[in-house]
Amino acid sequence: MQLAASSPVIGVARSWGAFYVNNASVPGSATVFDGTSLKTADASSNLNLNGGERVTLASNSAATVHPDRLLLDRGTAEISGAADYRVEARNVRVQTSDAAARIRVGIDQQNRVLIASLGGAAEVRNSQGRLVARLVSGAALTLSAANPESVDLTGVVSQQEGKFYLTDNVTKVKVELNGKGLSKMVGKVTHVTGTLGSPAAAGATQVVIVESATVAAAAGTGAGVAAAGAGSTIAGVSTTTVAIAGGVVAVGGTVGGLAAAGTIGGSSSVSR
């Protein structure tokens, strides 16, 4: 069973075993239309789109496919060959920065979104389109919903043309700081909490009205990690610091467990 022929054909899906296309079991391969629903069982499925994008849907996963995006409902998806294609999972959107990037996105049992860059860069935005994180090759994030007006960041404070800025250690996002006593924080790793303010100056994603600013360490010492929360492990991803921006809690780490979460391209199940 497939969508009506009036919907455009956008690619072909193939699997090592039976999978479901619009809730109908299909062996081997199937034509994919705009809006097709795909579900995998014990085997993963490869999706080749007409624009050159390659998507692998891991075992025990479910998603809806469109020409410009994949709506991930369950499990794990990996995208490559996609400069503009994105994966939407819960309240975040993940988009690769170039066609050479290889990004894996998963949803865990706590409804958190796990993102790992296996190569190349990616940007993460919230449901309103605000940039909340940047990933470089080898980096990983675990994301969950937060108070959209609350901000909790840690990074080095800088000053440019009379304005103060902070680039968060985890999300790599630059914000403008508005508050008192910030000149004392310049050049130091600082833990900042506050709320969102008015539109930011050029180069910053948002303004943070600072409620608290605590110096964690001099820039480059690495001691700032402890100021924002102890290290832990979430779904196999080794984490370091915690940041909150744009309604998203971001826990950062290395590519670790998410990159190895099951066998994509075979019949192994995705670990939970």
Side-chain angles (χ1 to χ4, degrees):
M1 179 178 179
Q2 298 176 342
L3 296 183
S6 58
S7 298
V9 174
I10 61 173
V12 176
R14 295 180 175 85
S15 178
W16 285 264
F19 62 113
Y20 296 87
V21 177
N22 298 325
N23 295 316
S25 181
V26 177
S29 65
T31 300
V32 175
F33 298 90
D34 184 5
T36 291
S37 168
L38 296 178
K39 295 179 182 179
T40 58
D42 293 333
S44 60
S45 175
N46 280 345
L47 175 62
N48 293 315
L49 298 177
N50 294 343
E53 302 88 354
R54 297 180 298 278
V55 179
T56 300
L57 196 62
S59 56
N60 303 307
S61 301
T64 302
V65 186
H66 296 281
D68 60 343
R69 67 196 186 282
L70 181 86
L71 307 181
L72 184 65
D73 297 317
R74 183 182 73 244
T76 303
E78 182 177 302
I79 60 173
S80 59
D84 298 315
Y85 202 75
R86 69 180 185 270
V87 175
E88 297 184 5
R90 300 301 183 256
N91 64 329
V92 298
R93 306 169 184 173
V94 185
Q95 184 166 332
T96 57
S97 300
D98 58 78
R102 182 174 160 223
I103 307 296
R104 189 169 292 187
V105 181
I107 300 172
D108 71 5
Q109 291 181 333
Q110 286 73 48
N111 217 30
R112 298 172 298 191
V113 179
L114 291 80
I115 308 167
S117 171
L118 309 183
E123 291 186 344
V124 183
R125 298 181 182 273
N126 64 10
S127 55
Q128 288 75 47
R130 176 182 293 157
L131 179 68
V132 297
R134 290 188 175 96
L135 262 75
V136 296
S137 181
L141 292 175
T142 299
L143 306 176
S144 56
N147 181 341
E149 301 304 317
S150 178
V151 180
D152 187 325
L153 305 169
T154 298
V156 177
V157 175
S158 62
Q159 185 177 12
Q160 297 173 335
E161 298 181 355
K163 296 182 181 293
F164 296 94
Y165 300 91
L166 180 147
T167 300
D168 182 62
N169 289 341
V170 173
T171 63
K172 311 303 180 186
V173 167
K174 182 179 180 180
V175 301
E176 180 184 344
L177 302 178
N178 189 336
K180 297 180 179 180
L182 295 174
S183 60
K184 299 177 182 179
M185 310 295 180
V186 174
K188 300 175 182 178
V189 178
T190 305
H191 180 208
V192 171
T193 62
T195 57
L196 295 180
S198 58
T205 61
Q206 58 197 32
V207 169
V208 175
I209 307 300
V210 178
E211 296 175 352
S212 172
T214 304
V215 174
T221 66
V225 169
S232 61
T233 300
I234 295 179
V237 177
S238 176
T239 65
T240 52
T241 54
V242 177
I244 303 176
V248 175
V249 178
V251 181
T254 56
V255 78
L258 183 58
T263 301
I264 285 191
S267 59
S268 297
S269 297
V270 174
S271 61
R272 294 297 184 203

